[in-house]
Amino acid sequence: MATLTVEPRTEEPLKGFHLRITATTFGANFSDGYALGIIGAVLPALTASMHLSGWWQGLLGASALIGLFFGSIVLGWVGDLIGRQKLYIYNFALITVASALQLWAHDPLLLFVLRLLIGFGLGADYAVGPTLLAEFAPRRLRGVLLGSLTVLWTVGYVVANILGSYLSLDDGSSHLLLASAALPAALVLLLRIGTPESPSWLVSQGRIEEARAIARRFLGAELDVEADGPTGADKERKAAGYGQLFARGQRRNTWFGVLFYSAQVLPYFAIYTFMGTILSAMQVSDADTQNLLLNLFLLLGGVVGLWPTQRMGRRPFTIISFGILTVALAALAVLADASPLAMMIPFVIYTFVMAGASNITQVYPPELYPTALRSSGVGFLCGTSRVAAAIGTFVLPVSLDHLGVTWSMAWLAGVLLLGTVISIAWAPETKDSVTTEGWHH
């Protein structure tokens, strides 16, 4: 039976391989953000050219998020069962092909199916990408490396929004822009070829010699492990599957992860998918310029947010950011009848802080679980959060039509208030947790 000895590790060296695995995961997150952001950018043009009803607008806006749910849930569990490496490579083959086929998807049902497939592939990456990076990254740099994934996601998302705002789009150019997501996806696929399996996962399966060989070859590290098979706990976790996420000792972390992640992304995706509609309802002049300004603050907030992600504890950063976001959207609701300039101030604050706060969604989930449950846990949290995001994306345009900006921003602020309360009650501190079990340098 495997026996793991975990030694304190405070000064792990940063190796060239760390940069490689980070770069390929960065590229994936850029591709993810671009693929998810591009639908909001082209949706107005597609609505006109394909005569989309409000129902189809909502479905297409939420399509990749629905796929993300199923991909994260199904493939997160598979990542714990068969390992991280295969999914880390093959999911981008699916994303590349489905993205390219959008060029010919002039029927809303076909486009919906293709975006479901893109989301399904992205779901695998949301589960195994942060998991694999967390299991390779030095602990002292884990926060900034994982947090940077969201920054690259934001870069991809902002690029998609800017292209949609400043290109003259018709039916043909909209489909070309959708299909352009295949280019970064194909590059990521090529760069990932040759990525090794996680030594921590191999150890959890009792494949100690394989783990040792990878650690020596890629990291110059030794595994402090004596084993000839998986531990009893690992066997129990594998047998229990997702049920183990709610077992004693894990239940609170899982419920916290589900609720904190969902409360953060529901307003995010809803607001930024329908940014143009919201700015129009706010009667903001020169909406394209204001949209660009908000996207730049989105990017700036993500970069600035790396500092508290790395330096602050996970718990205080999460609570403080939720509090600021709640106040910002509540202020936007109160000021809905004020001048457009007055409304833009809380909108800019919300955008800046949300971008920085989003960094923690890549950091917290892998730190909440042990190796044998990490991919399943990350996938489950991501998948359930995308249900919330899909609901928000589908409901917001209906809410804006029937309730207006004031009450739409008010109920979104209520979602963030729930996240604040949940974080105060349940958020653990995981900054010093170990995710590379069994290693010493």
Side-chain angles (χ1 to χ4, degrees):
M1 184 164 65
T3 303
L4 301 183
T5 303
V6 181
E7 298 185 356
R9 300 172 305 112
T10 57
E11 295 297 332
E12 306 96 320
L14 184 67
K15 302 281 188 177
F17 177 75
H18 290 131
L19 299 179
R20 173 188 165 189
I21 201 77
T22 301
T24 58
T25 311
F26 275 5
N29 276 261
F30 173 89
S31 183
D32 293 352
Y34 187 87
L36 290 175
I38 206 68
I39 188 64
V42 303
L43 204 50
L46 291 180
T47 298
S49 65
M50 299 172 69
H51 308 290
L52 298 177
S53 65
W55 172 264
W56 272 115
Q57 290 178 56
L59 278 180
L60 289 175
S63 54
L65 298 173
I66 297 169
L68 264 164
F69 165 74
F70 289 105
S72 299
I73 295 293
V74 174
L75 299 179
W77 172 76
V78 172
D80 280 334
L81 187 66
I82 69 170
R84 298 34 165 142
Q85 185 259 359
K86 293 182 179 66
L87 291 177
Y88 193 68
I89 295 174
Y90 294 137
N91 70 315
F92 261 85
L94 173 62
I95 294 167
T96 301
V97 172
S99 295
L101 290 176
Q102 291 178 108
L103 182 62
W104 298 280
H106 294 278
D107 176 76
L109 178 59
L110 177 58
L111 183 57
F112 176 74
V113 170
L114 289 174
R115 294 199 61 77
L116 279 180
L117 291 175
I118 292 168
F120 190 79
L122 292 176
D125 211 70
Y126 275 72
V128 300
T131 294
L132 192 63
L133 181 57
E135 291 174 353
F136 276 116
R139 182 170 57 183
R140 64 189 175 89
L141 297 175
R142 189 174 64 221
V144 70
L145 292 179
L146 286 169
S148 297
L149 299 180
T150 302
V151 176
L152 268 293
W153 187 97
T154 304
V155 172
Y157 196 81
V158 168
V159 168
N161 275 317
I162 291 175
L163 289 174
S165 296
Y166 287 93
L167 291 179
S168 179
L169 295 177
D170 54 20
D171 186 68
S173 58
S174 293
H175 282 85
L176 182 62
L177 201 54
L178 285 170
S180 68
L183 297 177
L187 179 60
V188 169
L189 176 61
L190 291 174
L191 292 175
R192 285 189 172 187
I193 295 172
T195 302
E197 184 55 84
S198 160
S200 294
W201 180 82
L202 290 170
V203 168
S204 76
Q205 304 299 303
R207 295 161 60 178
I208 308 303
E209 291 309 314
E210 293 175 65
R212 284 195 175 113
I214 289 172
R216 288 169 184 157
R217 176 183 173 187
F218 291 94
L219 294 167
E222 291 294 333
L223 297 183
D224 191 12
V225 178
E226 294 179 2
D228 56 7
T231 66
D234 289 333
K235 290 178 179 177
E236 181 182 348
R237 290 181 186 119
K238 182 183 289 189
Y242 277 114
Q244 191 65 25
L245 299 179
F246 295 92
R248 185 184 299 273
Q250 291 295 332
R251 185 183 304 119
R252 178 167 160 170
N253 278 359
T254 297
W255 278 118
F256 162 71
V258 167
L259 294 173
F260 120 84
Y261 207 156
S262 297
Q264 191 179 103
V265 301
L266 188 154
Y268 189 120
F269 278 99
I271 287 173
Y272 288 100
T273 299
F274 295 99
M275 175 71 75
T277 304
I278 294 170
L279 292 176
S280 176
M282 291 167 57
Q283 298 182 335
V284 172
S285 61
D286 196 5
D288 285 346
T289 300
Q290 300 302 328
N291 191 12
L292 175 61
L293 175 67
L294 289 169
N295 277 287
L296 291 177
F297 270 95
L298 196 65
L299 182 56
L300 180 62
V303 174
V304 174
L306 287 175
W307 184 86
T309 301
Q310 174 69 8
R311 304 299 298 178
M312 289 179 67
R314 315 302 191 223
R315 176 180 165 83
F317 179 50
T318 302
I319 293 171
I320 292 169
S321 59
F322 260 126
I324 296 172
L325 292 170
T326 302
V327 171
L329 274 197
L332 184 58
V334 170
L335 295 171
D337 293 326
S339 69
L341 177 60
M343 287 189 289
M344 285 299 294
I345 293 173
F347 210 160
V348 166
I349 293 172
Y350 169 81
T351 298
F352 182 81
V353 176
M354 174 56 81
S358 295
N359 293 342
I360 204 73
T361 63
Q362 296 282 3
V363 180
Y364 238 145
E367 293 180 344
L368 291 172
Y369 297 101
T371 295
L373 291 175
R374 187 165 294 123
S375 182
S376 296
V378 173
F380 184 78
L381 299 189
C382 177
T384 51
S385 75
R386 265 44 188 184
V387 172
I391 291 171
T393 303
F394 183 73
V395 170
L396 184 60
V398 179
S399 176
L400 289 169
D401 283 344
H402 291 83
L403 301 177
V405 173
T406 297
W407 287 107
S408 295
M409 294 303 107
W411 70 260
L412 288 174
V415 172
L416 292 167
L417 178 61
L418 175 63
T420 307
V421 173
I422 292 297
S423 298
I424 292 171
W426 286 348
E429 185 51 70
T430 59
K431 182 179 179 182
D432 295 323
S433 63
V434 175
T435 56
T436 54
E437 293 91 337
W439 295 35
H440 72 84
H441 293 267

